Amino acid sequence: MGSATHTSDAAIARPLVLGIESSCDETAVALVRGDGAIIAQAIASQEAEHAPYGGVVPEIAARAHAERVAPMIAHVMAEAGLSLDEVDAIAATAGPGLIGGVMVGLVSAKALAMAAGKPLLAVNHLEGHALSPRLADAGLGFPYLLLLVSGGHCQILAVEGVGQYRRLATTIDDALGEAFDKTAKLLGLGYPGGPAVERLALQGNPRAVPLPRPLKGSPEPHFSFAGLKSAVMRAVESGAHKPADIAASFQQAAVECLIDRLQFALTRAGPFPALVVAGGVAANQTVRAALEAFAGKNAMRFTAPPLALCTDNAAMIAWAGCERLASEGWTRDGDFAGDPLDFVARPRWPLDASADTVRGAGVKA
Ligand code: KG4
Ligand code: ZN
């Protein structure tokens, strides 16, 4: 179907979808139209609440979502100057994520859907990340090779269509964003760690500290970052290296692992016309530059969503809803039912249900 959802042909009804995201530490609400226009959005970070604990505390997150989500929905609708009557569907992240927070967003969406008589769309958070590049890049058609790198996930997926995802690789231990966050903690940089490590790395030498590249060259397709994290810990404890050199060397090792695993996936499942990166780590400029060069070498188009769409946001959830409506034959006058109002929030929800569980990766979807 390629970029069909982006055509501005007035004859095609473009759905308006309200999206809610609450799976981690961002409460977000957005109103997105089927042609990719973000009509209004709001995002509230809970960074300040979690910072004293050095990471996200699930109970604090759920309470903060519960306090914020209703006023934020009202704010977004007011900013758009629209009523719920004019919205075509209500989408919310239904998993995977911290279950208390997911339930807050999903229950809010169910209440709105019921009150306004609109279909509910229970969206997989990872699908939101996976399709967000198409919101930013109208020309990006299927299939594409997707690197999804965030705090909770580190996967390579073949995206063949809406709802058609083949997992080619995942992490057997930590996600890359998690490794960035832990490195930041070890270096005393605070939370969230990714941007802080990236900033410090700018002043360091990426070749100064010898660090491992776990699973580089392995005949298994997966990622591993636990050994790299331990090596960073030993480097910090040795006192022999400048923090900036450790940050830069860590980032270099991580990037080399990403490229090696992507090469493996491409050799095994390729070719693909495009390489796409999504998830919070996609905000990292060194990662982006390496991926762009890799794509160029392999004659692939390269797409990375703008920074605000890389980290958790609600526009990607509303957009995933738009994509679903387009692929499932929705029309404004039709009888599209959406998902049932008793859809249960899912702490785990793999995008590719047929993918094997890998060693040590039980907690990663
Ligand atoms: O996608 P996201 O907002 O939330 C999850 O679903 O996990 O990703 C957050 C992750 C965090 O681990 C954060 O440290 C990392 O993305 N991150 C970065 C950068 N910005 C955010 N990692 C490296 N460099 C960055 N600039
Ligand atoms: Zn995310």
Side-chain angles (χ1 to χ4, degrees):
M1 57 159 281
S3 57
T5 48
H6 295 268
T7 51
S8 56
D9 185 345
I12 299 172
R14 295 170 307 185
L16 196 58
V17 176
L18 181 69
I20 303 173
E21 158 61 33
S22 60
S23 66
C24 191
D25 60 346
E26 321 276 355
T27 316
V29 178
L31 201 50
V32 174
R33 205 170 54 198
D35 62 353
I38 299 174
I39 308 297
Q41 63 175 325
I43 183 156
S45 163
Q46 302 171 6
E47 233 171 271
E49 281 99 323
H50 300 293
Y53 306 95
V56 180
V57 183
E59 177 67 22
I60 294 175
R63 281 169 187 259
H65 288 306
E67 280 163 19
R68 289 171 191 171
V69 72
M72 285 175 67
I73 293 167
H75 173 83
V76 163
M77 295 309 296
E79 196 179 299
L82 294 168
S83 74
L84 275 183
D85 261 359
E86 291 161 284
V87 168
D88 294 300
I90 318 284
T93 296
L98 300 173
I99 196 66
V102 172
M103 284 169 69
V104 169
L106 183 58
V107 160
S108 306
K110 287 176 178 178
L112 293 177
M114 199 162 67
K118 304 289 179 178
L120 168 76
L121 296 167
V123 172
N124 184 315
H125 178 85
L126 302 175
E127 183 169 43
H129 280 303
L131 297 175
S132 65
R134 282 167 49 84
L135 171 57
D137 179 353
L140 177 66
F142 299 117
Y144 50 84
L145 188 66
L146 171 77
L147 174 68
L148 177 57
V149 271
S150 72
H153 305 283
C154 194
Q155 305 190 350
I156 300 173
L157 295 157
V159 179
E160 288 156 354
V162 178
Q164 294 171 261
Y165 312 99
R166 205 151 42 89
R167 197 196 71 195
L168 304 175
T170 188
T171 177
I172 63 167
D173 42 56
D174 295 349
L176 183 53
E178 206 175 341
F180 265 95
D181 292 335
K182 286 177 181 165
T183 295
K185 213 167 178 176
L186 288 165
L187 292 171
L189 300 177
Y191 166 87
V197 170
E198 180 175 18
R199 268 194 306 276
L200 185 61
L202 286 174
Q203 302 153 30
N205 174 359
R207 305 277 163 206
V209 185
L211 293 172
R213 275 82 172 134
L215 294 188
K216 187 172 174 186
S218 161
E220 268 189 77
H222 301 303
F223 293 101
S224 168
F225 290 107
L228 177 56
K229 174 190 70 191
S230 308
V232 166
M233 188 165 76
R234 286 192 295 275
V236 172
E237 285 171 352
S238 75
H241 305 285
K242 285 196 293 191
D245 287 344
I246 296 176
S249 300
F250 161 78
Q251 198 170 260
Q252 179 64 30
V255 164
E256 284 180 30
C257 291
L258 289 181
I259 298 301
D260 179 70
R261 305 290 69 201
L262 277 171
Q263 183 62 62
F264 188 91
L266 196 59
T267 307
R268 203 184 230 200
F272 288 88
L275 173 67
V276 168
V277 63
V281 182
N284 185 290
Q285 296 302 330
T286 305
V287 169
R288 281 188 183 228
L291 295 175
E292 191 162 12
F294 173 80
K297 240 184 250 166
N298 289 284
M300 298 162 94
R301 175 195 179 111
F302 176 68
T303 293
L307 299 190
L309 282 179
C310 284
T311 48
D312 288 350
N313 66 88
M316 71 180 190
I317 302 303
W319 173 248
C322 292
E323 291 263 41
R324 250 190 79 185
L325 293 179
S327 77
E328 291 176 22
W330 169 92
T331 58
R332 186 158 288 133
D333 307 321
D335 51 2
F336 185 86
D339 290 313
L341 287 175
D342 61 358
F343 193 101
V344 177
R346 303 175 180 178
R348 295 179 196 173
W349 187 0
L351 265 188
D352 177 356
S354 69
D356 295 336
T357 306
V358 301
R359 166 170 59 95
V363 295
K364 314 283 189 279

